[in-house]
Amino acid sequence: MAKVVRLLKHTAAAKKLYWSSAWKKCRASYIQSVFGLCERCSKPGGIVHHKEYIDHTNIHDPSITLNHDNLELLCQTCHNQEHFEKGGVTRRDVMFDDDGNLIQRSEGNER
């Protein structure tokens, strides 16, 4: 059985973390440390992703939330693939295009 990950996208604790000066400084320094490029495809990155997902058990642990070793800079497409393709929440007949849009999968664009 797959592990259910409870993401904190809209919770008060997540908002507090992502609006904190500590996170903003950590995020900025991390982006600079990887030269602003997606660490998977080398396109410009925009999302600092937590490798170990943030949930209610670790949201207050700076060794998880503010640790460069737990961060990865991703572009929108790679971030979508991380969260939606690996977890199996998308159907096999659709995929993300290079701009991160969900499109119908057809012969020739099967990646």
Side-chain angles (χ1 to χ4, degrees), residues 48-66:
V48 178
H49 167 73
H50 287 92
K51 296 179 203 176
E52 180 178 338
Y53 293 175
I54 303 303
D55 63 22
H56 67 285
T57 66
N58 61 19
I59 188 75
H60 301 292
D61 183 349
S63 70
I64 302 294
T65 59
L66 302 175

Side-chain angles (χ1 to χ4, degrees), residues 7-74:
L7 301 177
L8 296 177
K9 185 175 183 180
H10 300 290
T11 67
K15 287 179 184 178
K16 186 175 180 179
L17 170 68
Y18 291 122
W19 284 100
S20 72
S21 62
W23 169 250
K24 290 176 183 180
K25 289 176 186 176
C26 179
R27 181 183 184 280
S29 69
Y30 188 76
I31 291 171
Q32 184 176 17
S33 76
V34 296
F35 307 104
L37 298 176
C38 176
E39 295 181 75
R40 296 189 187 178
C41 72
S42 298
K43 291 180 182 176
I47 300 169
V48 178
H49 167 73
H50 287 92
K51 296 179 203 176
E52 180 178 338
Y53 293 175
I54 303 303
D55 63 22
H56 67 285
T57 66
N58 61 19
I59 188 75
H60 301 292
D61 183 349
S63 70
I64 302 294
T65 59
L66 302 175
N67 183 348
H68 279 206
D69 291 336
N70 189 41
L71 302 178
E72 180 178 29
L73 183 62
L74 301 177

Side-chain angles (χ1 to χ4, degrees), residues 7-8 12 19 25 53 78-79 81 83 86 92 99 102:
L7 301 177
L8 296 177
W19 284 100
K25 289 176 186 176
Y53 293 175
C78 290
H79 191 255
Q81 290 170 344
H83 283 286
K86 287 185 177 181
R92 296 274 182 220
D99 296 319
L102 193 62

